[in-house]
Amino acid sequence: MDDEAPVIYGLEFQARSLTAQVAETDAIRFLVGTQSLKYDNQVHVLDFDEDNNALNKTVFFHKDGEIWHIGSSPGDKDVLSTCFNKIVDNKLQGQAAIWRLPSDDEDPDIQDVGLHDDASSNAKNLEVLCRLDNSDAGNIMSVLWEPQGDGNRILSLTDNKFLVWDLEASGSRARMTSSATLEGKGHPKFTSLRWNPHHNNSQVASANDTTIRGWDLRSMEQTYMIENAHGQLVRDLDFNPNKQYYMASCGDDCSVKFWDVRNTEWPVMVQNDHSHWVWSVRYNQFHDQLVLSSSSDSRVILTNAASISSEPFGHMDEDDDDEEEDDDIMDNEEKNRSKEAMKDGVIATYEEHEDSVYAAEWSAADPWLFASLSYDGRLVINRVPRAEKYKILL
């Protein structure tokens, strides 16, 4: 059976911020933030309808400025964060706020969308819950929600600091609880921060220039450092959700690298499949051998990293132990073939974009579906090829 065609959605404005909604796993939903210098910016809430292979949109106005980063609360499907540029006293500031999607008391602007549908003129404004006071910390570049949390703990990243915040249950106030500063010669600046989903959410990793650092949030001290992790700037990081010591990184040297943070002298795997800067890398949250990367070469690449995954031999049946008699009869060579390790390498290359692809995110509800976003405002929904899906499941 042939794979289904990708679904393409065009925004009115340029965009580079994308996230999957994680609080509700019954719906396949993505959030996109726009970057317009001339008009009011927007947050597009996009629901994917699997039965009709179509997208439904709800558009909200974000009048505070162009959105550089967007995040979704793990505890409330209607709460999100944005980082945006705003002019204050004739100076451009990077600010952040926590928002709530307006209620559905009135009919929202929801409709099937195509490539060039315009946003409705009667879209509602986002409701601000609180703003993160960055007067002392500097310009905020991103806000990260605690993984698997209740939505009350977040991190914010500035040029040379990251801060830990506690939100009230209502999200109406944020209190800074701790911070860490990047120190060194030449005023080093962070480029990325990623929360480690293991170790009781007490660790994070950061990137600056070509260096990756691990941090313990309990002491706010460094735990490890990978110098010269990439030949050029490190753009993004992600942790393996199923193997606690493994992480991936990507950068301007066109490569994606995989690390075991217990031994950082050499990466455990390197993929050099892009031809320009790699902006994002993401592990599949359910099947960690599947890794997405997106790049300024206008491509999204799906990679198999099975040899360093939690499932190096593919899916194992839960009732294998109950079939010992059949196993004894089965020839050893046949058994080996049936459990043959999956090969590492590129599974598929997706080329529906015509501009730099700044973000690619897996759906939180469907492990076989993902979205990617390019700077020209094109969002594409794609799937893992059926053949690869069956290799993993069977």
Side-chain angles (χ1 to χ4, degrees):
M1 185 182 296
D2 294 336
D3 291 307
E4 293 184 65
V7 177
I8 301 176
Y9 169 59
L11 288 81
E12 288 182 277
F13 309 128
Q14 295 171 328
R16 62 188 298 160
S17 54
L18 165 71
T19 189
Q21 188 216 63
V22 296
E24 181 185 25
T25 57
D26 292 334
I28 300 173
R29 184 172 297 134
F30 295 94
L31 282 65
V32 183
T34 66
Q35 286 192 323
S36 173
L37 294 174
K38 186 176 181 181
Y39 301 100
D40 286 336
N41 280 282
Q42 305 163 354
V43 169
H44 290 231
V45 180
L46 303 173
D47 286 86
F48 182 67
D49 180 353
E50 286 188 286
D51 294 334
N52 298 308
N53 202 40
L55 279 170
N56 300 317
K57 73 172 180 180
T58 312
V59 181
F60 300 96
F61 283 130
H62 181 281
K63 297 186 177 182
D64 280 48
E66 53 179 342
I67 303 171
W68 285 82
H69 186 270
I70 190 167
S72 173
S73 167
D76 190 330
K77 64 182 178 62
D78 294 324
V79 174
L80 65 143
S81 61
T82 62
C83 300
F84 48 89
N85 283 346
K86 191 172 184 179
I87 298 176
V88 179
D89 297 330
N90 294 321
K91 293 183 179 179
L92 197 63
Q93 288 187 2
Q95 300 187 358
I98 309 299
W99 309 86
R100 180 178 293 281
L101 300 177
S103 63
D104 295 332
D105 294 340
E106 301 175 7
D107 292 335
D109 169 42
I110 301 180
Q111 54 187 310
D112 287 342
V113 297
L115 181 58
H116 299 293
D117 280 352
D118 293 331
S120 172
S121 59
N122 61 355
K124 299 178 183 179
N125 294 324
L126 293 171
E127 299 174 0
V128 64
L129 293 178
C130 70
R131 299 182 184 275
L132 303 185
D133 182 6
N134 64 326
S135 56
D136 297 328
N139 295 324
I140 299 180
M141 299 185 295
S142 62
V143 168
L144 304 175
W145 297 82
E146 181 181 21
Q148 305 93 33
D150 55 8
N152 294 335
R153 194 167 178 234
I154 59 175
L155 298 174
S156 66
L157 182 67
T158 68
D159 282 345
N160 68 337
K161 290 183 180 181
F162 67 85
L163 299 86
V164 184
W165 303 80
D166 280 343
L167 299 177
E168 290 185 347
S170 63
S172 59
R173 291 186 60 188
R175 178 175 60 90
M176 190 188 74
T177 59
S178 57
S179 65
T181 303
L182 180 63
E183 298 177 349
K185 296 180 180 179
H187 304 288
K189 294 182 178 181
F190 286 120
T191 56
S192 181
L193 186 71
R194 195 71 176 170
W195 212 311
N196 189 334
H198 308 289
H199 310 291
N200 199 28
N201 298 326
S202 64
Q203 298 181 12
V204 298
S206 69
N208 69 283
D209 196 24
T210 62
T211 301
I212 298 172
R213 304 169 194 267
W215 303 80
D216 190 320
L217 296 179
R218 294 163 295 188
S219 63
M220 303 307 286
E221 299 289 338
Q222 290 187 37
T223 55
Y224 58 85
M225 182 170 65
I226 310 175
E227 294 186 281
N228 300 314
H230 285 260
Q232 298 181 49
L233 187 71
V234 181
R235 292 282 179 185
D236 198 18
L237 307 166
D238 197 24
F239 281 93
N240 187 315
N242 301 326
K243 295 187 73 174
Q244 61 179 330
Y245 297 110
Y246 282 74
M247 67 181 298
S249 63
C250 63
D252 287 1
D253 58 359
C254 311
S255 68
V256 175
K257 297 186 178 183
F258 299 86
W259 306 89
D260 182 340
V261 300
R262 297 168 297 182
N263 182 6
T264 59
E265 186 175 358
W266 301 102
V268 294
M269 181 185 293
V270 179
Q271 300 284 349
N272 294 300
D273 302 306
H274 286 285
S275 58
H276 208 266
W277 303 346
V278 187
W279 282 90
S280 75
V281 60
R282 289 289 181 270
Y283 276 102
N284 187 296
Q285 294 299 299
F286 300 90
H287 305 285
D288 57 305
Q289 63 267 60
L290 301 176
V291 180
L292 278 179
S293 58
S294 65
S295 167
S296 299
D297 62 9
S298 305
R299 297 185 299 164
V300 177
I301 293 180
L302 176 61
T303 299
N304 193 331
S307 66
I308 56 172
S309 74
S310 62
E311 300 179 18
F313 298 100
H315 177 75
M316 302 291 284
D317 291 334
E318 293 181 358
D319 58 352
D320 277 352
D321 293 337
D322 298 332
E323 299 178 351
E324 292 182 1
E325 294 182 4
D326 293 338
D327 287 345
D328 291 339
I329 298 174
M330 185 184 295
D331 181 82
N332 284 333
E333 290 184 4
E334 185 177 349
K335 285 173 60 180
N336 290 337
R337 284 195 300 270
S338 67
K339 300 299 183 183
E340 183 180 358
M342 299 173 68
K343 293 182 179 179
D344 297 332
V346 174
I347 297 171
T349 300
Y350 302 88
E351 299 182 336
E352 292 85 11
H353 294 282
E354 298 176 356
D355 205 339
S356 296
V357 188
Y358 285 124
E361 296 284 352
W362 292 99
S363 165
D366 185 339
W368 312 109
L369 184 142
F370 59 91
S372 54
L373 177 69
S374 53
Y375 188 58
D376 55 5
R378 177 177 291 189
L379 179 132
V380 182
I381 301 289
N382 265 303
R383 299 173 179 80
V384 175
R386 279 196 178 91
E388 195 68 24
K389 174 181 176 180
Y390 295 149
K391 284 181 185 178
I392 293 173
L393 293 178
L394 300 180

